[in-house]
Amino acid sequence: IAGITQAPTSQILAAGRRMTLRCTQDMRHNAMYWYRQDLGLGLRLIHYSNTAGTTGKGEVPDGYSVSRANTDDFPLTLASAVPSQTSVYFCASSDSTGGSTDTQYFGPGTRLTVL
Amino acid sequence: GQNIDQPTEMTATEGAIVQINCTYQTSGFNGLFWYQQHAGEAPTFLSYNVLDGLEEKGRFSSFLSRSKGYSYLLLKELQMKDSASYLCAVLDSNYQLIWGAGTKLIIKP
């Protein structure tokens, strides 16, 4: 069982380019999340999905979009990357039926640099 | 607004005990999580508290006081591998996780 996988591991991107970060989980969790982590700021939620077919905005959604066509996959797209989107991006999933089942499990992260 | 406060950095000695505090002000409360994050890696789940009191898991224990909006993570018999950041997170009334910025723990021999 792989848990959650993310691709790519790292990427250097020119400003203005489009980029999709991939996330796949094999735990059949209903909820999935995208975070960015910047030094000193902790984890900030970008977008989330409580179940396949639905998505919601988190704390910092601007410049990002997501889709949830099925249970396993939750890609994050940067339509036109800007240097302020340089960060480490983590995908997470949870069973999300309340209480301790809301424990989130994280993928290994994607380190993105926008020049 | 919602707020989670943790010390930015702490230093402790191998073999000793360290307590990492977390205070929170959130809209509602549905549980508090502690995660460990080694440098360059993903956060990993350590503990979950929803009722007041102490939860013990081996060398790690987590305490919660809901009336005080306070939790701590207690690490005993510190090992060098415990050098990491420790993240406190609260599940609010909308079942969204609100994260603290994390406490970087440095263990010295």
Side-chain angles (χ1 to χ4, degrees), chain B residues 54 57 77 97:
Chain B
L54 188 69
K57 266 189 190 179
E77 301 168 15
L97 261 185

Side-chain angles (χ1 to χ4, degrees), chain B residues 71-91:
Chain B
S71 172
Y72 67 72
L73 182 68
L74 190 72
L75 291 73
K76 304 176 187 175
E77 301 168 15
L78 286 170
Q79 302 175 9
M80 297 303 293
K81 68 179 182 179
D82 297 330
S83 291
S85 288
Y86 292 86
L87 313 180
C88 173
V90 172
L91 203 59

Side-chain angles (χ1 to χ4, degrees), chain A residues 35 37 40-43 45 48 90 98-100 102-104 106-108, chain B residues 30 33 35 37 40-43 45 48 87 91 95-97 99-101:
Chain A
Y35 291 94
Q37 187 175 39
L41 292 180
L43 288 160
L45 183 66
Y48 65 93
F90 287 105
S100 60
D102 283 279
T103 300
Q104 294 186 13
F106 286 80
Chain B
N30 283 300
F33 294 83
Y35 280 76
Q37 185 177 25
E41 297 183 7
F45 169 74
Y48 169 76
L87 313 180
L91 203 59
Y95 287 91
Q96 294 285 348
L97 261 185
W99 294 85

Side-chain angles (χ1 to χ4, degrees), chain A residues 16 27 52:
Chain A
M27 297 179 283

Side-chain angles (χ1 to χ4, degrees), chain A residues 65-102:
Chain A
S65 64
V66 291
S67 61
R68 186 90 183 276
N70 57 60
T71 298
D72 299 343
D73 301 299
F74 191 43
L76 176 74
T77 298
L78 289 69
S80 179
V82 295
S84 62
Q85 292 177 312
T86 293
S87 187
V88 180
Y89 290 85
F90 287 105
C91 180
S93 72
S94 71
D95 214 4
S96 197
T97 54
S100 60
T101 55
D102 283 279

Side-chain angles (χ1 to χ4, degrees), chain A residues 6-66:
Chain A
Q6 292 185 236
T9 302
S10 65
Q11 182 75 44
I12 298 174
L13 190 66
R17 296 297 297 269
R18 181 184 179 89
M19 175 74 191
T20 295
L21 308 185
R22 300 184 298 278
C23 175
T24 300
Q25 55 110 353
D26 63 5
M27 297 179 283
R28 308 304 295 173
H29 284 168
N30 54 315
M32 297 186 75
Y33 313 85
W34 273 106
Y35 291 94
R36 59 177 291 173
Q37 187 175 39
D38 303 291
L39 202 62
L41 292 180
L43 288 160
R44 291 185 291 168
L45 183 66
I46 305 170
H47 285 287
Y48 65 93
S49 169
N50 287 329
T51 189
T54 68
T55 62
K57 293 182 179 180
E59 180 186 355
V60 289
D62 294 343
Y64 306 95
S65 64
V66 291

Side-chain angles (χ1 to χ4, degrees), chain B residues 29-84:
Chain B
F29 179 86
N30 283 300
L32 184 143
F33 294 83
W34 284 97
Y35 280 76
Q36 180 189 59
Q37 185 177 25
H38 285 102
E41 297 183 7
T44 56
F45 169 74
L46 284 178
S47 68
Y48 169 76
N49 294 69
V50 67
L51 299 176
D52 290 351
L54 188 69
E55 296 274 347
E56 297 187 73
K57 266 189 190 179
R59 293 190 299 114
F60 291 10
S61 303
S62 55
F63 172 83
L64 175 67
S65 169
R66 289 172 297 171
S67 62
K68 294 182 180 177
Y70 168 70
S71 172
Y72 67 72
L73 182 68
L74 190 72
L75 291 73
K76 304 176 187 175
E77 301 168 15
L78 286 170
Q79 302 175 9
M80 297 303 293
K81 68 179 182 179
D82 297 330
S83 291

